[in-house]
Amino acid sequence: MFNSFVNTLKFFKRFCCFLIIFSIFSQANPSYAKDIRVGFIDIQSAVTNTKEWKKEFAAFKTRFQKEKEKITKKENNLKKMIENLNKQSMVLSPEKKKKKEETLIKQKKEFERHVQDKNEEFAKTEKMITSKILKKMVKIVTDLGKSKKFTMILEKKVGIYFDQSVDLTLLATRTYNSQN
């Protein structure tokens, strides 16, 4: 009894799949796909190739390098202080040694906080730069889609294959540069 139920269920599933596939392929010219035009864009490439992003990122990179140099100097100073403490540890009295260790631990924690704060600050700044340009780029891509009569524009990462004639990345970048 149970066996016949399973067989009936399998038959029903196969029959439903057949109907779905048959209905899809039986439409030689589907009415829902007549005027669909899809474009693609690599939004990350479009944003990073704009003149504004390159200029902002160059300034950001300069500030980042200067701060990185300052951090390296502070780190080297801390290392020297640790080496000096290790060298003097045999000569120093226990109270002085403990006081220097506490001072060194405090400076190390301050240094680590400073590095963490700067990392967060730079990440936030980079995100802000990209976000500002991305908002403008989305508007430009939307306008391009309307003017070129695209039904939709998708991120390049979504598709496996697409015709290069519908890649709007370079056009979006050029349009952005000319408008800003």
Side-chain angles (χ1 to χ4, degrees):
M1 172 122 178
F2 181 72
N3 220 5
S4 65
F5 176 72
V6 171
N7 287 335
T8 307
L9 191 59
K10 284 182 183 178
F11 173 76
F12 183 70
K13 284 182 183 177
R14 288 181 184 157
F15 184 71
C16 287
C17 287
F18 172 76
L19 284 178
I20 292 170
I21 291 171
F22 180 75
S23 65
I24 290 172
F25 287 114
S26 67
Q27 295 182 1
N29 191 5
S31 61
Y32 58 83
K34 279 186 180 175
D35 295 330
I36 293 179
R37 188 161 178 225
V38 180
F40 291 89
I41 186 166
D42 182 350
I43 198 75
Q44 182 178 1
S45 176
V47 167
T48 57
N49 286 322
T50 61
K51 290 177 184 175
E52 183 180 2
W53 191 86
K54 288 177 181 178
K55 183 179 133 189
E56 294 270 347
F57 194 72
F60 168 78
K61 194 173 180 182
T62 303
R63 288 191 311 269
F64 180 78
Q65 289 298 333
K66 286 180 183 176
E67 191 59 41
K68 188 176 177 184
E69 289 171 7
K70 289 178 185 177
I71 287 172
T72 303
K73 286 179 184 175
K74 287 182 180 181
E75 184 179 26
N76 289 336
N77 286 339
L78 270 174
K79 286 179 182 178
K80 285 180 185 175
M81 291 172 72
I82 291 171
E83 287 176 19
N84 288 338
L85 180 64
N86 287 337
K87 288 178 185 176
Q88 296 174 356
S89 65
M90 297 295 180
V91 185
L92 292 173
S93 66
E95 297 110 23
K96 284 187 177 183
K97 182 180 175 185
K98 186 172 180 166
K99 189 175 180 182
K100 282 194 171 198
E101 284 175 346
E102 288 172 355
T103 304
L104 195 59
I105 289 171
K106 183 180 175 186
Q107 287 178 343
K108 186 178 177 193
K109 284 181 182 179
E110 287 174 1
F111 170 75
E112 288 171 352
R113 277 192 216 113
H114 176 74
V115 170
Q116 186 177 3
D117 289 347
K118 286 299 178 182
N119 283 336
E120 289 172 4
E121 178 186 327
F122 282 119
K124 185 178 176 184
T125 303
E126 183 180 17
K127 187 177 179 181
M128 185 189 71
I129 291 168
T130 305
S131 176
K132 177 179 75 170
I133 297 170
L134 183 62
K135 285 178 185 176
K136 294 176 188 177
M137 183 61 76
V138 168
K139 177 157 179 14
I140 286 173
V141 170
T142 303
D143 293 344
L144 278 173
K146 288 176 184 175
S147 69
K148 301 282 185 188
K149 299 193 185 327
F150 281 96
T151 308
M152 69 177 81
I153 298 175
L154 300 173
E155 169 65 37
K156 217 176 197 182
K157 295 173 188 169
V158 174
I160 296 172
Y161 169 79
F162 58 91
D163 188 355
Q164 290 297 319
S165 66
V166 292
D167 185 359
L168 301 172
T169 306
L170 189 58
L171 180 61
T173 303
R174 286 180 182 159
T175 306
Y176 185 96
N177 286 338
S178 67
Q179 289 183 6
N180 290 303

